[in-house]
Amino acid sequence: MNSVLTCYSGYFLERQKRLEFAKKWALVMNKIEMEKKLRKMTEVEMKRSSKKTINFGEMRDFNFKSPLMKILATLEKVKVAVSDNESVVEAVTIVEETLKTTDDLNKIDIHKQDLNAGDREFAKFLLSTGGRGHVRDRVRSVPNLAGISVENSEELRKKECRLLTAIGLPDGTRMIGDEQLQTLDYLTKFEQWDFDIHLLSQMTNKRPIYYLFCKAMEKFYEPFELGLQELKAFTLYVEENYSYDPEVPNAYHNHLHAADVLQTSAYFISAPFSQRKLGSLDKMTTLISAMMHDYRHKGVNNAYMVNSHDELALIHNDLSVLERFHASETFLLLKTKKFKANFLSNLSSGDYKYLRMSCIDMILATDLSNGYKYIGKFGQKSKAGQELWGDKAEDILLLMQMILKASDVSHPSKSLALHKCWTVMVTDEFFDQGDKERNFGMTLSPLCDRYVNDDIPKSQIGFIDFVVKPTVEPLSKLLELKEIMKNLTNNYRYWSELVRNHSGLDTSLASLRLEVGMERDAVSKAHGLEPEGRKKIEAAVAAEVAAAAASASAKGGGGDGGGGA
């Protein structure tokens, strides 16, 4: 009996151990399976989040490839696969060449990127209204001209600004005295990347366009027989009337921005590759387009113009409204009857036609909603490098368009101090537009609500990722200008660090304005000029108070509806 009991008890103990082992084994296997699933989910999530979140300090690489670039890459693989069949390779090559001239295939669809909520907001801003550019055949003219060397003696510094000496200073003075030598000294640096337009404006009593344009035209006014007094009258009028309402200047799209784009374009033109590829008429055309690209800007974007049923939107059929207006106003001013302004009257009919068509094409290319079309086309052509860049009319025009486009959005790739200054100005203008939209009962445009979008670092990160880097990087690579991307990377890291350490930090417009005001005062004092930063801060605060009062009044009165502003 005892032996039977012992046998049964041994059996049950063994069974119990097996059952416990089976349970543990099941738990282990379940855990392994769960870990596998979690690992897969984590990998997928990491891939997804790597696209959607900011890798602090590093600019993101979105897949900005046009359909054309993808097709050509596939065709290259086909050519390799059938390399032993010459007739097939020849046929594929013909297809490639045909596709390269098909303009619409260069347009990049930003909606196909994997975007997070903040990115979608910025993309919505970029594509909020459409527009169309156009390219026509043209004939290039006039070979390169020799420039003038920069010297240090006072006499040669005056000779270096011989156009200013010839037509006189804005106040009519023809002799350049010792008091202007500091300005002339600074003008000799106008082809440097971090040239400070705000400082030049202070030095020249708010005439940066006049001094810069005269300086930039040094190489062209004699060969092209430019009318000097007409050039002076034209430039002074442009500077005084750059904003649509000269009595209420725009916060950002004003004569300072025009001067900055003019100077930046001069920098790109000075690159050895540009010097080789662009003729003198190309260079002069680029400088004129840079100066005029936002002439008589209304301080609002195309979306506002269309949504408010502005008269200009009706005239230009809602297509690239502001860009078409700027181009049109440029040539209307040249033909004005009010005063003699046509400094181009001595150009041959062929050269004038070339300049006019090129200016129109370049200014239309600055419409941000069409930006990826040019980025895609330029990216495809520039991949081959300088040696394979062609000399056809469309190659030269594309280079000129990208120089203007990059100059127009370049401020995040300047020194951090300059970048912050421009950031305050453009944010002010965005918020001014939002205030108008709120007062008229319109839907607020993306990035224009001062009560929602007052986070400067995030807006600048989006601007760099979606606009600046895709535009500036391929051009700086082609022209072999390394300083640009170095600055852009450093500034991106600066904003990224502010986002990462957001808690406890004031990243509002008011805080940045105060910081910029103090920095500008320090620059002014260093050059013996009267500080203006505090005055600008006080004026901006007063404007914000007035805008808030107007908004409260509009709400109290029920607003004016969504009519035209």
Side-chain angles (χ1 to χ4, degrees):
M1 187 67 179
N2 287 335
S3 60
V4 173
L5 290 173
T6 302
C7 182
Y8 268 108
S9 64
Y11 167 76
F12 281 116
L13 283 174
E14 181 66 22
R15 186 169 179 272
Q16 190 67 28
K17 287 179 182 178
R18 286 176 179 275
L19 288 172
E20 288 177 3
F21 176 78
K23 288 179 182 179
K24 287 180 181 179
W25 178 252
L27 288 172
V28 169
M29 292 304 294
N30 286 337
K31 185 179 179 183
I32 290 172
E33 286 299 316
M34 184 63 71
E35 285 178 350
K36 284 181 181 178
K37 289 180 181 179
L38 286 173
R39 196 177 302 116
K40 284 182 180 178
M41 289 172 64
T42 304
E43 287 172 359
V44 171
E45 189 60 34
M46 284 178 67
K47 287 179 182 177
R48 188 177 296 148
S49 64
S50 67
K51 295 179 182 178
K52 293 190 174 183
T53 59
I54 297 167
N55 184 9
F56 290 101
E58 299 299 328
M59 288 180 283
R60 292 175 287 175
D61 284 315
F62 288 100
N63 183 22
F64 289 126
K65 286 186 178 179
S66 65
L68 178 61
M69 293 172 72
K70 294 174 183 177
I71 292 169
L72 291 175
T74 303
L75 289 176
E76 282 299 316
K77 293 177 183 177
V78 172
K79 284 168 71 175
V80 172
V82 297
S83 57
D84 56 338
N85 191 326
E86 292 183 7
S87 61
V88 175
V89 171
E90 184 180 354
V92 172
T93 303
I94 292 171
V95 172
E96 284 181 321
E97 293 303 315
T98 304
L99 286 171
K100 287 177 182 178
T101 62
T102 307
D103 207 41
D104 285 344
L105 288 176
N106 281 302
K107 196 164 185 180
I108 296 166
D109 187 356
I110 194 173
H111 293 297
K112 291 187 178 178
Q113 305 296 323
D114 195 2
L115 308 177
N116 61 31
D119 292 337
R120 283 195 294 274
E121 177 81 356
F122 205 91
K124 194 166 149 192
F125 161 73
L126 277 180
L127 303 177
S128 55
T129 186
R132 295 176 187 168
H134 62 282
V135 179
R136 299 176 185 169
D137 293 332
R138 67 203 69 209
V139 179
R140 295 173 64 207
S141 175
V142 187
N144 284 314
L145 302 169
I148 305 168
S149 60
V150 177
E151 301 290 348
N152 292 321
S153 74
E154 292 184 9
E155 190 59 35
L156 286 176
R157 273 184 294 181
K158 293 175 184 178
K159 285 182 181 178
E160 173 66 13
C161 292
R162 57 200 176 101
L163 181 52
L164 275 172
T165 305
I167 66 176
L169 301 180
D171 62 2
T173 306
R174 287 199 171 272
M175 293 300 295
I176 297 178
D178 292 340
E179 63 273 17
Q180 279 86 38
L181 289 181
Q182 182 188 29
T183 303
L184 301 192
D185 267 340
Y186 197 63
L187 272 177
T188 61
K189 303 174 183 177
F190 86 109
E191 289 179 344
Q192 294 182 8
W193 183 245
D194 279 331
F195 188 88
D196 190 340
I197 289 297
H198 307 278
L199 178 59
L200 179 67
S201 181
Q202 273 195 279
M203 289 178 170
T204 59
N205 194 25
K206 300 181 180 179
R207 297 286 191 184
I209 288 181
Y210 183 79
Y211 279 81
L212 262 179
F213 193 62
C214 287
K215 177 64 181 168
M217 288 293 107
E218 288 285 345
K219 302 173 183 178
F220 310 111
Y221 80 91
E222 287 181 337
F224 290 108
E225 300 180 355
L226 303 182
L228 298 189
Q229 290 310 308
E230 290 84 353
L231 185 147
K232 179 177 182 178
F234 181 90
T235 311
L236 286 174
Y237 189 87
V238 166
E239 186 132 52
E240 291 171 356
N241 297 276
Y242 209 85
S243 295
Y244 188 82
D245 183 355
E247 299 299 318
V248 187
N250 303 325
Y252 179 77
H253 288 102
N254 52 37
H255 73 296
L256 285 171
H257 171 64
D260 182 56
V261 175
L262 171 61
Q263 182 274 321
T264 307
S265 296
Y267 170 82
F268 283 127
I269 288 172
S270 71
F273 180 72
S274 301
Q275 289 291 315
R276 294 195 303 272
K277 284 293 175 184
L278 301 181
S280 291
L281 185 57
D282 299 323
K283 295 170 189 173
M284 184 172 75
T285 299
T286 302
L287 294 170
I288 293 172
S289 301
M291 178 173 70
M292 303 303 293
H293 82 284
D294 276 330
Y295 176 58
R296 299 202 68 211
H297 200 287
K298 282 201 163 190
V300 293
N301 61 23
N302 280 332
Y304 181 93
M305 301 290 285
V306 172
N307 294 334
S308 65
H309 310 297
D310 189 281
E311 184 180 3
L312 292 178
L314 300 178
I315 291 171
H316 297 290
N317 299 315
D318 295 351
L319 298 175
S320 300
V321 177
L322 287 167
E323 292 73 25
R324 290 170 184 266
F325 176 60
H326 304 321
S328 175
E329 287 294 297
T330 296
F331 292 97
L332 285 173
L333 181 58
L334 282 170
K335 299 294 185 181
T336 184
K337 303 295 184 184
K338 295 179 182 178
F339 56 93
K340 291 183 178 180
N342 191 2
F343 64 97
L344 301 173
S345 60
N346 291 328
L347 289 184
S348 69
S349 59
D351 282 351
Y352 179 78
K353 183 179 179 183
Y354 175 86
L355 181 145
R356 173 171 158 74
M357 292 173 69
S358 299
C359 277
I360 293 170
D361 286 341
M362 292 175 70
I363 293 173
L364 289 179
T366 61
D367 183 351
L368 283 182
S369 69
N370 278 335
Y372 293 112
K373 167 185 170 182
Y374 299 96
I375 290 168
K377 193 173 183 179
F378 188 84
Q380 173 61 33
K381 289 190 70 67
S382 63
K383 272 200 314 183
Q386 291 186 357
E387 288 149 10
L388 295 179
W389 189 275
D391 288 315
K392 294 179 181 178
E394 60 265 26
D395 299 329
I396 301 304
L397 175 63
L398 182 60
L399 177 59
M400 293 160 67
Q401 287 172 320
M402 284 300 289
I403 284 175
L404 181 55
K405 283 182 64 61
S407 300
D408 192 24
V409 299
S410 65
H411 74 77
S413 53
K414 300 291 181 74
S415 69
L416 180 60
L418 288 176
H419 170 39
K420 289 191 291 187
C421 190
W422 293 114
T423 298
V424 168
M425 293 167 65
V426 74
T427 307
D428 268 330
E429 188 165 296
F430 279 2
F431 288 173
D432 288 346
Q433 175 177 321
D435 293 338
K436 290 176 184 176
E437 290 169 330
R438 186 181 291 105
N439 292 341
F440 286 110
M442 298 165 61
T443 301
L444 267 67
S445 297
L447 307 180
C448 292
D449 190 338
R450 69 171 69 248
Y451 305 114
V452 174
N453 303 120
D454 195 13
D455 190 336
I456 305 300
K458 287 182 180 177
S459 68
Q460 287 309 299
I461 286 171
F463 184 49
I464 291 171
D465 276 332
F466 285 94
V467 179
V468 185
K469 186 189 176 193
T471 307
V472 168
E473 186 175 40
L475 181 65
S476 62
K477 282 183 179 178
L478 180 69
L479 301 186
E480 297 179 350
L481 302 170
K482 297 179 181 179
E483 183 180 11
I484 299 172
M485 289 307 296
K486 181 179 177 183
N487 279 357
L488 185 62
T489 301
N490 290 338
N491 292 340
Y492 190 90
R493 286 174 179 163
Y494 171 80
W495 296 121
S496 297
E497 284 299 317
L498 287 180
V499 170
R500 181 160 53 176
N501 301 313
H502 188 279
S503 58
L505 291 175
D506 187 354
T507 58
S508 67
L509 175 61
S511 174
L512 184 61
R513 192 196 316 284
L514 181 62
E515 183 182 337
V516 167
M518 295 170 64
E519 289 175 354
R520 293 313 307 174
D521 282 349
V523 172
S524 299
K525 289 177 182 177
H527 288 84
L529 301 168
E530 183 181 353
E532 294 182 344
R534 184 171 295 278
K535 293 179 183 176
K536 290 182 178 179
I537 292 171
E538 291 171 356
V541 170
E544 286 182 13
V545 171
S551 177
S553 175
K555 285 180 181 177
D560 294 330

